[in-house]
Amino acid sequence: AEHVFHVVRHGTRYPTAKHLAKLNRLTDWFGPEWPVPFDAEDAGLLASRGTRELEEMGRRMRERFPELFQDFNQQSYDIWSSEVPRAMQSATAYVSGLFPDLSLSDDVGEPRDGGASA
């Protein structure tokens, strides 16, 4: 049996609410000609660039170890994430790159102790 452990942090994300507040204070100081280019509802979420980064990382892993990543079988793979939305978004993007033919809505498992699993 082969095992691969790949520890990955989330991809590129939007600033958190805490950092947006700091950016907004800068806008107050510089004036309206320097608006903050981020929306509060996106705070801390994975950016589209981050999604592409993780999909690409999954694709490269599949290409490097093709014999290990033929077809997805939920009993054969454990993919873990914390329950932080950007981490779950990153795990979903990574799995999409690793198994491009997989419909995640059909194969995502129930969260286990310590985090969410895909």
Side-chain angles (χ1 to χ4, degrees), residues 13-26 36:
R13 63 167 173 79
Y14 291 104
T16 62
K18 175 181 164 183
H19 289 106
L20 279 175
K22 290 179 181 180
L23 289 171
N24 284 325
R25 284 196 298 276
L26 284 175
V36 175

Side-chain angles (χ1 to χ4, degrees), residues 3 7 14 20 31-32 35 42 59 74 76 79 81 90-91 93-94 99-100:
H3 295 255
V7 179
Y14 291 104
L20 279 175
D42 292 332
R59 184 191 63 75
Q74 195 166 353
S76 298
I79 298 158
S81 163
S90 293
Y94 181 82
F99 298 104

Side-chain angles (χ1 to χ4, degrees), residues 51-89:
T51 299
R52 289 189 308 273
E53 291 166 350
L54 272 291
E55 287 172 346
E56 182 66 17
M57 193 179 299
R59 184 191 63 75
R60 288 191 312 265
M61 179 65 86
R62 179 175 36 90
E63 287 177 354
R64 176 149 177 132
F65 302 104
E67 67 281 0
L68 298 179
F69 301 107
Q70 299 294 323
D71 296 310
F72 183 79
N73 174 335
Q74 195 166 353
Q75 286 70 42
S76 298
Y77 300 96
D78 283 324
I79 298 158
W80 290 78
S81 163
S82 71
E83 293 183 9
V84 176
R86 68 179 160 263
M88 291 190 297
Q89 291 170 316

